[in-house]
Amino acid sequence: MTFWFEVPLLILLILTAAGAILAKDLISSIFILGTYSFFLALVWAWLGAVDVAFVEAVVGAGLATVLFLLTLFGTSPKDIRIGRFSPPLTALIGLPILAVLLLYAAEDFPEFGNPESPPNVHVSSEYLKNSLQETGSSNVVTAVLMDYRAFDTLIETSVIFTAGIACALLLRRDRK
């Protein structure tokens, strides 16, 4: 049953990613990219990362699509068409080799859902046992995001804030 859900979802992810790259105009690319983010949110939810799925759906499929469209509507019509160039030969040869190497390396990952895998044995159990005493937070997810990974969360928030300021500056640009 899982196989029949995962394979079509993976195929839809690959098709939408390729469609966003190969689309002939930016409006089509934006809508296809929003669809890609929606399918990616489904993948995150399927993997059990509901918080990441929620953020991907809201930011990737929703907010980013709206911001891309607003930015695109602020440009001139000649900027909407996409100019294509042929990729360099090193990319055509190197990227498939890199993909094969990554797939080969993926065999060494721990089995998904295995309770004996190193992340489940070492890190997760420590968070579950000690988060209340060490952080004072009764919610483990909040303890991880705001205490154990506070700098990571701070930098992610800074990136999102900077992107928001850049979009606001682009949209407020004086039109001549």
Side-chain angles (χ1 to χ4, degrees), residues 4-39:
W4 295 107
F5 180 76
E6 290 173 350
V7 171
L9 195 55
L10 178 64
I11 291 170
L12 286 171
L13 271 175
I14 292 171
L15 288 177
T16 52
I21 293 170
L22 299 174
K24 294 190 186 290
D25 60 73
L26 289 177
I27 291 177
S28 300
S29 290
I30 290 170
F31 283 116
I32 295 171
L33 195 60
T35 306
Y36 171 82
S37 290
F38 174 74
F39 289 133

Side-chain angles (χ1 to χ4, degrees), residues 9-86:
L9 195 55
L10 178 64
I11 291 170
L12 286 171
L13 271 175
I14 292 171
L15 288 177
T16 52
I21 293 170
L22 299 174
K24 294 190 186 290
D25 60 73
L26 289 177
I27 291 177
S28 300
S29 290
I30 290 170
F31 283 116
I32 295 171
L33 195 60
T35 306
Y36 171 82
S37 290
F38 174 74
F39 289 133
L40 192 58
L42 290 178
V43 169
W44 289 124
W46 181 257
L47 292 174
V50 180
D51 55 336
V52 178
F54 181 73
V55 170
E56 182 65 36
V58 170
V59 175
L63 184 62
T65 302
V66 170
L67 290 176
F68 284 150
L69 286 173
L70 288 174
T71 303
L72 188 62
F73 291 145
T75 60
S76 65
K78 68 176 179 58
D79 294 332
I80 293 177
R81 286 173 283 165
I82 300 174
R84 299 276 181 215
F85 63 94
S86 60

